[in-house]
Amino acid sequence: MRVLVIGGGQNSEHDVSLASAAAVAEALGVGGYEVSTVTISRAGIWEVAGVSEGATAAESLALAMTMITRADVVFPAVHGALGEDGVLAALCALAGVRVVGSGPRAGAIGMDKWMTKLVAEAAGLRTARGRLIGAADCGDAEFDGAVVVKPVSAGSSYGVSLVREEADLAAALREAARFDRRILVEEVVHGREIDLAVIREAGGVRWAAPPLEIHAAGLFDTAMKYDGSARFTVPAQLSIAESGSLTRAALALFDALGCGGVARMDFFLTDEGPVLNEVNTMPGLTAASQVPRMFAAADVSYVDLVDRLVRAAEVPER
Ligand SMILES: Nc1ncnc2c1ncn2[C@@H]1O[C@H](COP(=O)(O)OP(=O)(O)O)[C@@H](O)[C@H]1O
Ligand SMILES: [Mg+2]
């Protein structure tokens, strides 16, 4: 079986995607797949070895389509905008090619923290109270207590700030506005940070791996995510009731969004129960990333995990 792994992408998570794609490609090779790879540059050029030199994005995409045509399954290990947001799944849907992960709809909603909130609330989950501010209206935003400011659509904590004092609000909004025209200003949630991973296997059965706890003093920021200082506990130490309510919430949201492949649902566990923070429909996929570590705790090795994802790949219908 031939799998095309796509990495890189046109957003701030480019390097993270390169790491995910390299790890996925290696594991697929170990699993016996015939693997080819293509990188999307920061400028949107599909770097097809040897042939896309000097090509425009459109020309390079045409070359990459030949690779997509030859693949049995496409594995788009691209985080963030123009990847995880469903556009690569949409390309495969149009081409009638099986693709790993969520379809265009779930990808698009999951990449949008405001839309995710609306769907999650409608599905009975709690989320942080928040308001949406347009980048153009940053100057009019009023400070009414500590808040978290973040771009509606980004990742790896880029543009996310905790604002405790009025004097810091304007800079935080400007920083978030570098990543999106829409900015989310949220109440600060106090609780443990617990991530859940849900996989939909070939045949449609979906289940959640044991939860993982992130130990971060304050925001789980970009530096902590990638400098090796992040401390995780897998499985998180939870009561049966806590674990049950988190798992039910994660599965409910997976179903409400209609996710495929694997999705990571990030929660705060508060005294009043789970509060959803965000959904990642193409979460970090190096062997050391949260999702593979959660599945390892369920005795699903990294090679097995990527194999299951490829076997579950479908041509998206929506
Ligand atoms: N409303 C909030 N209250 C408290 N902490 C928050 C809140 N929103 C985000 N954070 C912190 O900031 C981190 C990054 O925010 P997140 O929304 O997950 O953005 P990203 O998509 O970049 O990971 C979270 O892991 C958490 O530590
Ligand atoms: Mg996050």
Side-chain angles (χ1 to χ4, degrees), residues 113 150 155-157 186-187 189 193 219-220 225 277-278:
K113 291 188 167 83
K150 54 177 135 176
S156 294
S157 299
E186 279 185 352
E187 67 175 329
V189 180
E193 267 196 84
L219 291 190
F220 184 30
K225 282 179 180 176
N277 179 31
E278 62 147 344

Side-chain angles (χ1 to χ4, degrees), residues 1-287:
M1 179 128 91
R2 285 162 305 193
V3 183
L4 174 65
V5 180
I6 307 175
Q10 305 173 58
N11 63 64
S12 49
E13 291 184 283
H14 179 90
D15 290 335
V16 183
S17 302
L18 288 182
S20 289
V24 164
E26 196 194 326
L28 288 171
V30 172
Y33 288 96
E34 195 183 303
V35 185
S36 52
T37 57
V38 62
T39 296
I40 303 174
S41 78
R42 291 175 194 279
I45 307 296
W46 294 64
E47 293 172 339
V48 180
V51 285
S52 56
E53 220 103 308
T56 64
E59 287 161 355
S60 71
L61 175 57
L63 295 169
M65 277 316 293
T66 329
M67 298 183 82
I68 291 174
T69 309
R70 287 198 206 108
D72 297 306
V73 171
V74 170
F75 198 132
V78 177
H79 313 305
L82 298 182
E84 180 172 1
D85 59 357
V87 300
L88 292 173
L91 184 65
C92 293
L94 290 170
V97 175
R98 294 166 62 202
V99 63
V100 169
S102 286
R105 176 187 55 198
I109 300 174
M111 194 65 224
D112 185 307
K113 291 188 167 83
W114 179 249
M115 292 299 161
T116 299
K117 228 184 236 306
L118 300 181
V119 174
E121 294 275 347
L125 279 70
R126 289 183 50 212
T127 68
R129 261 185 298 125
R131 61 199 155 101
L132 197 59
I133 296 184
D137 304 322
C138 279
D140 307 332
E142 276 174 35
F143 181 79
D144 48 13
V147 284
V148 172
V149 174
K150 54 177 135 176
V152 165
S153 193
S156 294
S157 299
Y158 287 114
V160 181
S161 326
L162 173 60
V163 177
R164 289 203 180 83
E165 284 160 38
E166 182 159 17
D168 300 328
L169 182 62
L173 290 165
R174 273 198 305 276
E175 178 61 13
R178 290 178 50 218
F179 297 91
D180 198 342
R181 274 184 293 156
R182 292 152 72 230
I183 302 166
L184 197 50
V185 178
E186 279 185 352
E187 67 175 329
V188 181
V189 180
H190 299 281
R192 296 164 66 188
E193 267 196 84
I194 313 276
D195 292 358
L196 273 284
V198 179
I199 187 170
R200 183 174 187 274
E201 305 251 23
V205 173
R206 83 278 180 284
W207 58 282
L212 170 150
E213 177 162 16
I214 296 161
H215 303 280
L219 291 190
F220 184 30
D221 61 19
T222 310
M224 207 183 296
K225 282 179 180 176
Y226 303 113
D227 68 7
S229 68
R231 279 210 311 118
F232 302 137
T233 305
V234 212
Q237 288 181 5
L238 299 166
S239 69
I240 289 169
E242 288 168 338
S243 166
S245 59
L246 284 161
T247 303
R248 278 193 300 279
L251 292 173
L253 188 59
F254 192 93
D255 291 345
L257 293 171
C259 291
V262 67
R264 201 185 78 219
M265 274 86 182
D266 299 347
F267 291 90
F268 300 106
L269 184 58
T270 71
D271 294 342
E272 285 83 47
V275 173
L276 177 81
N277 179 31
E278 62 147 344
V279 179
N280 299 277
T281 57
M282 185 48 72
L285 280 183
T286 71

